[in-house]
Amino acid sequence: EIDAEVKALEEKGEKEKAQKMEAKRPLHVNNVCRIAEERTIVNFSSGRKDKTQVGEEFAVDTYMDFKVEHKKLLEEFTDADWDKSHQMLAARGDILLDDCANNYFMLTALEEQMK
């Protein structure tokens, strides 16, 4: 109903009225919000790392490179007990808290669940 009225108003050239009608639209999961840009900024003693991600994209190449480069550390953290994991986070938190590491841990948990 609102879509038809908005379209009719836009065709007539009454864009202000169309925007007011659009503002009256009931909110639901598909029109509340969407991710336009996600940015992570991490300050290191050696410099600043600024990673921008547009939308909800998943960079497979970046993930695979990260996984190969840090495979030993990720597997060690996965098998660590509470105290060791705490020490590892303090020492290598920049890697273990990266988005790619998070994806690795989620996919590893999913693989274990499917066994």
Side-chain angles (χ1 to χ4, degrees):
E1 181 179 308
I2 292 177
D3 289 330
E5 291 179 35
V6 168
K7 187 175 181 182
L9 288 171
E10 286 178 348
E11 288 174 358
K12 291 179 185 177
E14 299 176 3
K15 294 187 179 198
E16 288 182 26
K17 287 184 180 179
Q19 288 176 349
K20 288 180 182 178
M21 285 296 298
E22 189 66 37
K24 293 180 183 178
R25 180 182 300 275
L27 298 178
H28 56 83
V29 71
N30 293 325
N31 70 356
V32 173
C33 66
R34 69 177 182 83
I35 298 173
E37 177 180 285
E38 194 172 284
R39 175 170 277 184
T40 304
I41 299 172
V42 180
N43 291 314
F44 294 102
S45 59
S46 61
R48 179 175 165 163
K49 179 181 178 186
D50 187 354
K51 182 171 71 173
T52 301
Q53 180 177 342
V54 177
E56 296 183 22
E57 297 173 1
F58 178 75
V60 176
D61 293 336
T62 304
Y63 169 72
M64 293 306 290
D65 292 343
F66 180 88
K67 184 178 169 183
V68 168
E69 186 177 345
H70 303 291
K71 185 171 181 63
K72 183 179 177 189
L73 178 66
L74 295 170
E75 289 176 352
E76 184 180 351
F77 185 75
T78 303
D79 296 332
D81 62 4
W82 181 262
D83 292 329
K84 182 166 176 111
S85 65
H86 180 72
Q87 293 170 355
M88 291 177 74
L89 280 170
R92 302 301 309 263
D94 58 324
I95 295 170
L96 294 171
L97 296 176
D98 189 87
D99 287 338
C100 290
N102 184 44
N103 291 333
Y104 172 83
F105 297 133
M106 287 192 299
L107 290 170
T108 302
L110 182 62
E111 287 175 6
E112 291 297 319
Q113 184 70 27
M114 291 174 34
K115 287 184 181 179

